[in-house]
Each structure stands twice: as C-alpha cells, then as structure tokens.
C-alpha cells in the first residue's frame, strides 16, 4: 500500500508525524510532500495502490490550499490534521470529507490508533 503524506509544519512536528505514521503503517510506502506544489503534482498522477492520504495543514492558509485540491482528493481516504480547534476551521475541513480529523497538538495517540486501523482495513482482502 502507498500512502500520500503532506506535511506543512515545522521540522519538529513533521518528524513527529512521520514517526507516528511509520509506527501505524510500517509496511506502507510513503510518498511524502512538503509543499502544496509537490502535492498537487502528485495528485495529478494516477493513484496506483494508494489507500490513504494523511494531510497536515499547519495553518488555515494551508487548509484553504488543500480545499482547493478537493477534486483531486475525492478518491482517497483522508486523515486531516488541523492547526487549531476553532469551529470555523473544522467546518472548512469537512469540505474535504475526511475519514478522521485530528489536532497536531493533542490528538496524536488517537491519530496513531486510527491510522493503524485504517492501514489494516486497506490491507485486508475484500470480503474478509
């Protein structure tokens, strides 16, 4: 399984999230992007064996950039990591129809559990 990862935060939080993702899905091949241009270029390519995308919007501006990519993201199971807990941020995030929403500052344990479960479900053959 391939996993698309977009990280727009500081190097410290990006590294923390990458370690978490590796623990949650150790056998996944990660396509990691740090700029919206890199991510956009990847989303324009076919999704061969891509089961999940983990997107970290470190700012509201990053979130708006991701919302502009909504048409490219529709086919993916999304886990979205938000910059703050403001209700308007959550409302905007729902435009992307994520499977799970988290905050980088305090939802990392839950995020890891959800990613593990999603990775297991994706690996499991249909009908089992």
């Amino acid at each position: 399984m391939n996993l698309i990862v977009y990280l727009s935060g500081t190097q410290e939080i990006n590294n923390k999230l990458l370690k978490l993702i590796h623990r949650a899905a150790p056998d996944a091949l990660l396509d990691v992007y740090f700029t919206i241009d890199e991510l956009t270029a990847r989303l324009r390519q076919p999704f061969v064996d891509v089961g999940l995308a983990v997107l970290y919007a470190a700012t509201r501006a990053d979130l708006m950039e991701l919302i502009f990519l909504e048409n490219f993201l529709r086919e993916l199971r999304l886990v979205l990591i938000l910059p703050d807990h403001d209700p308007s941020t959550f409302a905007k995030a729902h435009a992307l129809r994520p499977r799970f929403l988290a905050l980088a500052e305090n939802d990392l344990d839950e995020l890891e559990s959800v990613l593990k479960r999603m990775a297991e479900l994706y690996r499991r053959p249909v009908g089992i």
Side-chain angles (χ1 to χ4, degrees):
M1 168 182 71
N2 292 346
L3 200 143
I4 293 175
V5 179
Y6 170 67
L7 302 170
S8 64
T10 64
Q11 186 172 2
E12 179 183 352
I13 190 69
N14 289 350
N15 288 339
K16 194 176 196 179
L17 289 169
L18 278 174
K19 287 178 186 175
L20 180 147
I21 293 166
H22 280 293
R23 284 193 310 266
D27 54 344
L29 299 174
L30 303 184
D31 293 338
V32 182
Y33 304 97
F34 297 99
T35 69
I36 202 70
D37 291 336
E38 293 172 337
L39 177 64
T40 302
R42 172 59 183 95
L43 293 175
R44 289 186 173 144
Q45 298 172 13
F47 297 134
V48 177
D49 198 29
V50 175
L52 181 61
V54 178
L55 309 174
Y56 172 42
T59 66
R60 288 184 190 191
D62 293 332
L63 178 59
M64 293 309 297
E65 293 280 355
L66 293 173
I67 290 170
F68 290 132
L69 297 174
E70 176 188 3
N71 288 335
F72 294 108
L73 295 168
R74 262 190 211 151
E75 295 179 36
L76 296 171
R77 294 173 189 95
L78 296 180
V79 171
L80 190 55
I81 305 165
L82 301 176
D84 60 58
H85 60 275
D86 188 280
S88 67
T89 302
F90 275 85
K92 289 175 184 166
H94 280 289
L96 294 171
R97 297 177 192 94
R99 302 284 175 108
F100 183 73
L101 288 171
L103 294 173
E105 60 198 40
N106 60 358
D107 288 340
L108 295 184
D109 290 336
E110 189 175 2
L111 174 63
E112 185 173 352
S113 296
V114 168
L115 286 175
K116 280 182 185 175
R117 182 68 178 138
M118 290 179 82
E120 289 170 7
L121 287 172
Y122 184 75
R123 279 192 302 263
R124 186 177 305 150
V126 176
I128 293 179

